[in-house]
Every structure is written in structure tokens, then in C-alpha cells.
């Protein structure tokens, strides 16, 4: 696992049933693009987060395929529809095989 | 990303040239990336919105947003990057809108392209030129 | 444009930018207000302190950035520098070393650091020397926690400096320049106006005489440090004050002073005093 990888997620704590909410996610990751060379002129191999998914109570909200052109500390903002109270699950998959997850609960009134 | 001084000089020189005209060298790669997404199908101009700055203060972190109501997925392509693929957004049943924003790397002044695949199998395309400046010293 | 005042090299650079006629980063509108999270109101422009002869008004580096870059500092979630702050908060609470102490063991909640950033650097009576925030952090590590000092410009150090800065966001910078600090301030002032390197540029050449003008495609700022540590889009991490100084001196094509060394300590005090009255913004977002 790449060192110091830490997700941050912003989800409202409450919503009305069927409401559309905005979600922001950020994860600390170098996103080594595979385009850079080290001081000896050798290409530094790509090492990035390659997929990100957000699900709510087992149903998919969004999934993203990432490439080396996504900036260091990948940031996403998107919208979700919330039919009921439950949990958002956020998953990031790293090229090195690691998986980082975070969950956020939301109460629907 | 940590740049050495040499990297910065090389990138600086590249971007200085790039300021004169958009990068063309990787255009065929970008065409390939578009074709891989559309399967060679024709694209229309309406129905998708791409928001990107006209001028980016630093090519390392360029905010972009895409929106295409009714899309199944949207691909983002940086036509002038050595690897034009940037990201593909796939919208699930609980997506609140077919829109997303992120921050991307641009190797120089170039066109950023977004193509949406609609539920009916058609494709909508938008492009925007982003001028990437290499600043003085950053302050 | 006041091209005649610039060094020949800079005239060339400026002329090149003009000749290109494009690639000029958009500077945000004047009068834009920096309010973080819709609640912390920053002073990004105010009257210069009386002891600063070269400026009438002091202006935060935030005002010199593009609208897009400015926006990244207006919400903590959009500010990637907060990743470093989060990481430092873990370090703050981490019990470690033979003394089995965390920062919190002595200082309690990190909110106790409120105001600390506004008076840094300051004269430390006991050490009989000018101390920066980094010096205080390392002193806690080596003397109280009995663990190894952090590298002066390393990631852990800069993140911790950002965590401590956050506690003072919105409070005006207010470093003391009199009494025992006076000789350091005088030394810093001398360095500020000393030309260095092949380009023969002083801090003042760019940041006092030429701020607002272009250096290549970039807007020169006043070089204020109230926003440090700064998350730079260029290297996608938090950058400390001395690391920034080093970059500036290097760009004049000179051998730089050592981060953490006496020259940059004195310079930090002088530059901080030029920004007395601007509010603490750390971690700011810059290009």
C-alpha cells in the first residue's frame, strides 16, 4: 500500500427522500503518471488510483476510471439521489493492489 | 509531483513552444481514444457541456466539469497529452445528475474533449481549448 | 507598464510575454473577498505598517491568483492543503518516544495553539535567539518527547506548521520587531534589499518594485508569507516559508541560504513584519 493514503469525503448528514445531494471526495495520492523520468533518466513506472466507485445501500451512484492525467490527490464532485436512509460506500483501487474505502451515513426524513 | 529543476526547465521549454499553437503531435492518439469510446460512431455537438478554464494557471491542476443529461457515461480526453486518456465517468441508477467535476493534468496548451454516451446509444461531443501557462516563479 | 524600472533580463521576459500576446494567466477581479467556508473573513488588503517605506498597501498573495486558484482556498474541502492538516492532527495526538507523550499530552486540544502563528517568528529569551514555529515544534520533539527532530522543510514539519496555522486563521499577523528582535529584523531587512545571483535580483526587485507585473506569464505578488504553509498546484503539497525563500533565491541564480539557517530566520521576521495586519491564511492555495 502506498504510504499515507487518506480519503476525505463530504456528504450532507441529512436529506429529504428522493433529494439530489452533492458529494465531494478527495484522496491523498501521488498519482505517478508514468510519464516522468528519475534523475538517471529512467522512466518512473505508473502508480495511480485506477478506479473510484460510490455506492449507496448496494446500488451504484458513479464509477470512474482514472488515468495518469488525473492530478495528484484526486478530487471528484458529483450528485446522488437518496431514496432512503443508509450508507454511502466509497472505494478507491490502487495500481499496487491496495483498496481504500470510506463510508458515510445519511438520514432521510 | 516533485519536479527536479531540470524537469521544470524541460517542461517550461515545451510549454513555451506550446503557447504558440496547440500540441498536434499526439492528435492521432486522441483520435484513437475517441474511436475506442464511440466505436467509430458519429457524434453530435449538443447535449453535453464541458467547463474548463480558458487559461490555466498551472497545468498540474486544471479544474474541469462535465455534464450531459441522460448520459450513461462520459469520457474526458486531453488531446495534447502523451496519453490522452484522462477519465471515464459511468453513472449508476442512483446518480443525481449525469455530471461530475475533477482536476486534471495538461502537458501544454491543447483541446480538452468530452464525449457522452447517451442511453439511446448516440454520442454527444464538446471540446474546449485550455491555454496552459508556465508562470514565472509562482508568486 | 513600468518596464524601464525592471532589470534587463526581466524586461526581456516581459517583452516576450507581450509579444506572444497570450498565455497570460487571468488575474482575478479586484475587490474579490476571501471568506473561507463562508465564515472566516480574511484581510487580503490593508495599509502597510509605518516602518515599511516601500509600500503603501499590503496585499495577500491570494489577490494575485486566478479566479480558479482563488476558489480552491475558499472551501476547506476544495483546499488540498487540508490533507496535510488532517495528517498533522493524527501526529498531534500520537503518543510516542521514551516519554510516551503526544503533543496533546502537554498542549491539550490543538485549539490551544490559537494565536501562535500570528507572532512567529519571535525572540526566545531562554535560547537567546529568534525562533520560528518550526523551531518550537522541533524543540518539543527533542526536549519534551525525546524523539528525533523533523527535517526543517520536511512533510511532517510543514503539515504540523499548517495545523498550527489553521488555529489562527483570520487573525492578523502581528510579529514583534522591537526589543531583542530588533537586530534580527535589521539583518532581515538588509537581506531583503540585497541583490543576489546572476540575475542580480533582490526580494524587493520583484516583490516591492514590480508586484502586479508579469514575470513571464505569472503575476508577481508582494511575496507576503501570511498564507504559509502554502499548497502549491505546482508540486501538489504544502510548502514552508524557508522552502519558498530557497526557491526564490535559487531563481535569481544564486547559491541559496540554508532553510532553517540564521539568514532565513532573519529574513522570515522581516518579511512577516511587512505583512503585519494581513490575516493568517495557512494553508493557502497558490500556483
Amino acid at each position: 500500500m502506498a504510504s499515507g493514503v487518506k480519503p476525505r469525503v463530504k456528504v450532507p448528514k441529512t436529506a429529504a427522500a428522493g433529494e439530489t445531494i452533492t458529494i465531494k471526495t478527495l484522496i491523498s495520492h501521488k498519482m505517478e503518471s508514468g510519464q516522468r523520468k528519475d534523475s538517471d533518466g529512467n522512466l518512473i513506472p505508473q502508480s495511480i488510483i485506477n478506479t473510484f466507485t460510490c455506492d449507496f445501500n448496494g446500488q451504484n451512484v458513479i464509477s470512474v476510471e482514472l488515468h495518469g492525467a488525473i492530478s495528484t490527490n484526486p478530487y471528484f464532485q458529483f450528485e446522488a439521489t437518496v431514496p432512503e436512509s443508509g450508507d454511502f460506500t466509497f472505494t478507491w483501487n490502487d495500481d499496487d493492489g491496495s483498496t481504500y474505502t470510506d463510508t458515510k451515513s445519511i438520514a432521510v426524513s | 509531483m516533485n519536479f527536479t529543476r531540470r524537469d521544470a526547465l524541460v517542461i517550461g521549454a515545451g510549454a513555451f513552444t506550446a503557447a504558440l499553437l496547440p500540441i498536434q503531435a499526439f492528435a492521432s492518439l486522441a483520435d484513437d481514444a475517441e474511436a475506442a469510446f464511440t466505436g467509430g460512431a458519429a457524434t453530435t455537438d449538443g447535449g453535453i457541456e464541458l467547463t474548463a478554464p480558458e487559461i490555466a494557471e498551472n497545468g498540474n491542476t486544471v479544474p474541469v466539469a462535465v455534464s450531459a443529461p441522460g448520459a450513461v457515461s462520459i469520457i474526458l480526453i486531453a488531446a495534447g497529452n502523451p496519453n490522452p486518456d484522462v477519465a471515464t465517468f459511468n453513472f449508476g441508477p442512483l446518480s443525481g445528475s449525469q455530471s461530475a467535476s475533477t482536476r486534471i493534468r495538461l502537458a501544454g496548451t491543447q483541446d480538452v474533449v468530452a464525449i457522452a454516451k447517451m442511453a439511446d446509444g448516440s454520442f454527444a461531443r464538446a471540446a474546449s481549448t485550455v491555454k496552459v501557462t508556465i508562470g514565472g516563479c509562482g508568486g | 507598464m513600468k518596464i524601464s524600472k525592471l532589470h534587463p533580463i526581466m524586461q526581456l521576459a516581459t517583452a516576450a510575454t507581450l509579444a506572444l500576446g497570450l498565455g497570460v494567466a487571468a488575474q482575478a477581479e479586484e475587490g474579490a473577498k476571501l471568506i473561507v467556508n463562508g465564515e472566516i473573513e480574511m484581510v487580503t488588503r490593508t495599509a502597510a505598517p509605518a516602518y515599511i517605506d516601500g509600500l503603501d498597501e499590503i496585499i495577500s498573495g491570494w489577490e494575485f491568483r486566478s479566479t480558479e486558484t482563488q476558489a480552491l482556498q475558499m472551501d476547506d474541502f476544495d483546499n488540498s492543503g487540508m490533507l496535510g492538516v488532517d495528517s498533522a492532527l493524527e501526529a498531534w495526538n500520537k503518543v510516542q518516544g521514551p516519554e510516551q507523550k503526544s503533543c496533546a499530552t502537554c498542549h491539550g486540544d490543538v485549539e490551544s495553539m490559537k494565536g501562535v502563528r500570528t507572532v512567529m517568528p519571535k525572540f526566545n529569551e531562554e535560547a537567546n535567539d529568534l525562533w520560528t514555529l518550526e523551531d518550537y515544534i522541533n524543540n518539543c520533539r527533542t526536549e519534551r518527547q525525546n524523539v528525533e527532530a523533523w527535517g526543517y522543510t520536511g512533510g511532517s514539519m510543514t503539515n504540523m506548521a499548517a495545523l498550527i496555522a489553521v488555529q489562527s486563521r483570520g487573525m492578523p499577523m502581528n510579529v514583534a520587531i522591537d526589543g531583542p528582535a530588533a537586530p534580527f529584523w535589521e539583518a532581515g531587512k538588509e537581506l531583503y534589499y540585497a541583490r543576489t545571483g546572476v540575475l542580480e535580483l533582490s526580494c524587493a526587485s520583484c516583490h516591492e518594485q514590480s508586484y502586479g507585473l508579469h514575470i513571464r506569464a505569472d503575476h508577481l505578488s508582494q511575496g507576503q508569507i501570511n498564507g504559509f504553509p502554502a499548497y502549491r498546484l505546482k508540486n501538489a503539497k504544502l510548502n514552508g516559508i524557508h522552502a519558498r525563500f530557497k526557491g526564490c533565491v535559487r531563481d535569481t541564480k544564486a547559491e541559496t541560504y540554508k532553510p532553517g539557517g540564521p539568514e532565513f530566520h532573519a529574513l522570515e521576521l522581516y518579511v512577516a513584519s511587512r505583512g503585519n495586519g494581513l490575516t493568517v491564511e495557512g494553508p493557502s492555495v497558490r500556483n
Side-chain angles (χ1 to χ4, degrees), chain C residues 113 116-124 127-140 150-153 157 160-161 164 173 175 184 225 240-243 245 258-272:
Chain C
M113 293 292 113
V116 168
R117 173 68 173 85
T118 64
V119 295
M120 293 290 167
K122 70 174 195 177
F123 184 77
N124 181 308
N128 193 33
D129 205 354
L130 184 74
W131 275 26
T132 59
L133 186 52
E134 285 87 344
D135 295 325
Y136 280 94
I137 292 168
N138 259 345
N139 185 63
C140 277
W150 276 330
Y152 195 90
T153 56
M157 176 63 91
M160 184 57 76
I164 293 170
M173 284 296 296
V175 295
F184 296 97
I225 56 174
I241 294 165
H242 290 200
F245 285 170
K258 191 172 168 289
E263 297 87 359
F264 280 165
H265 270 72
L267 186 61
E268 180 178 338
L269 176 63
Y270 179 69
V271 176

Side-chain angles (χ1 to χ4, degrees), chain B residues 3 5-20 23 55-62 106-109 130-139, chain C residues 13 16-17 20 22-26 65 214-219 232-234 251 287:
Chain B
F3 285 109
R5 185 167 163 68
R6 196 162 162 271
D7 286 338
L9 286 171
V10 170
I11 292 169
F16 198 66
T17 314
L20 296 170
I23 300 173
I55 298 164
E57 215 165 18
N58 192 296
N60 250 350
T61 313
V62 182
L106 297 177
T109 294
V130 180
K131 290 172 188 156
V132 175
T133 67
I134 288 294
C137 325
Chain C
T17 307
L20 272 174
L22 43 74
V24 177
R65 302 280 57 92
H214 291 116
I215 184 157
R216 291 178 60 180
D218 205 356
H219 282 100
R232 293 189 65 188
L233 304 183
K234 170 185 168 158
D251 287 351
N287 58 318

Side-chain angles (χ1 to χ4, degrees), chain C residues 44-163:
Chain C
T44 57
R45 186 181 280 259
T46 189
Y51 48 78
I52 302 300
D53 298 328
L55 297 174
D56 294 328
E57 197 173 34
I58 50 176
I59 306 167
S60 162
W62 182 82
E63 290 209 8
F64 294 87
R65 302 280 57 92
S66 72
T67 311
E68 289 86 9
T69 308
Q70 287 188 335
L72 296 177
Q73 202 187 319
M74 298 176 80
D75 180 307
D76 278 354
F77 201 91
D78 296 334
N79 180 346
S80 300
M82 295 309 284
L83 285 165
V85 170
D86 278 359
S87 157
L89 188 57
E90 273 180 26
W92 178 270
N93 289 309
K94 188 181 164 197
V95 174
Q96 57 180 322
E99 312 298 327
Q100 285 295 292
K101 280 180 185 168
S102 68
C103 305
T105 309
C106 298
H107 297 290
D109 192 286
V110 70
E111 283 177 25
S112 63
M113 293 292 113
K114 187 175 174 159
V116 168
R117 173 68 173 85
T118 64
V119 295
M120 293 290 167
K122 70 174 195 177
F123 184 77
N124 181 308
E125 300 272 351
E126 219 171 292
N128 193 33
D129 205 354
L130 184 74
W131 275 26
T132 59
L133 186 52
E134 285 87 344
D135 295 325
Y136 280 94
I137 292 168
N138 259 345
N139 185 63
C140 277
R141 288 183 60 80
T142 57
E143 303 308 310
R144 298 197 204 180
Q145 291 181 299
N146 211 354
V147 294
E148 230 180 282
W150 276 330
Y152 195 90
T153 56
S156 302
M157 176 63 91
T158 309
N159 289 346
M160 184 57 76
L163 173 68

Side-chain angles (χ1 to χ4, degrees), chain B residues 56-80:
Chain B
E57 215 165 18
N58 192 296
N60 250 350
T61 313
V62 182
V64 292
V66 289
S67 177
V72 177
S73 59
I74 301 177
I75 191 169
L76 202 53
I77 294 167

